[in-house]
Amino acid sequence: MILQPTYSFSFCCLFIAVAVGLTAAFGAAVADYIPAVSSTVGAGQMLLIAGSGWVLEMLLGTNASDTQRRYFALLSETMVVGVCILIPFCMIQLLAGPVWLGWPIISVLLSSTTMTYLHYAGIQQIGLSPRLTLRWFFSLQSTALAWICFFYLL
């Protein structure tokens, strides 16, 4: 078994809180690569870029049924695992400063790939449609792209 999406609501909220903190840290670290963006602004932007899709998916995919509560637990667990993958980049950034633009890109690709695998495996365990992974992935990517366009292209 890959995941155990049977956590209580309080554990799910703890996972989400950890993920929010680590996402903000990643945004602050990435801000060093973007001229005229402070660490605080970078953290806030990253929370919007990375977090909006999760919020959308949680609103679309959860209700009072047991299966949907397990899906909420799966989302929170997938989220925290995905942002934990970003910790090495944050540590490199903290210790060495901006070294190579490839580090944050590779970190995000590795995180996204891992989360996609965990999401797909988890919904199979719960018994939900594999198409749900496509909706989840589209929610994350489309909201991220919309915020990136808003912040940097408009």
Side-chain angles (χ1 to χ4, degrees):
M1 248 188 196
I2 295 168
L3 301 170
Q4 288 295 332
T6 56
Y7 299 110
S8 70
F9 183 73
S10 59
F11 273 108
C12 294
C13 291
L14 176 63
F15 289 164
I16 292 168
V18 168
V20 166
L22 291 174
T23 300
F26 181 74
V30 169
D32 287 344
Y33 291 89
I34 305 168
V37 174
S38 70
S39 294
T40 305
V41 170
Q45 287 179 348
M46 188 58 69
L47 287 172
L48 289 171
I49 290 167
S52 298
W54 288 102
V55 171
L56 178 62
E57 187 61 25
M58 286 182 180
L59 291 174
L60 290 173
T62 57
N63 60 32
S65 75
D66 182 56
T67 302
Q68 295 305 317
R69 282 193 301 265
R70 292 182 71 203
Y71 183 59
F72 180 77
L74 170 67
L75 288 175
S76 64
E77 185 177 51
T78 302
M79 183 187 311
V80 80
V81 168
V83 295
C84 283
I85 292 170
L86 304 174
I87 291 173
F89 164 74
C90 293
M91 296 306 296
I92 290 169
Q93 182 67 21
L94 178 67
L95 298 173
V99 178
W100 178 53
L101 183 58
W103 284 123
I105 294 168
I106 290 169
S107 297
V108 168
L109 290 174
L110 183 59
S111 173
S112 185
T113 301
T114 303
M115 289 189 300
T116 301
Y117 172 74
L118 292 174
H119 188 277
Y120 184 77
I123 61 166
Q124 287 184 322
Q125 284 181 321
I126 295 172
L128 296 172
S129 169
R131 287 182 287 181
L132 196 57
T133 297
L134 292 175
R135 184 185 80 187
W136 165 83
F137 190 78
F138 180 75
S139 292
L140 267 58
Q141 303 308 315
S142 62
T143 56
L145 182 61
W147 281 112
I148 289 169
C149 289
F150 178 75
F151 291 134
Y152 300 106
L153 300 178
L154 296 179

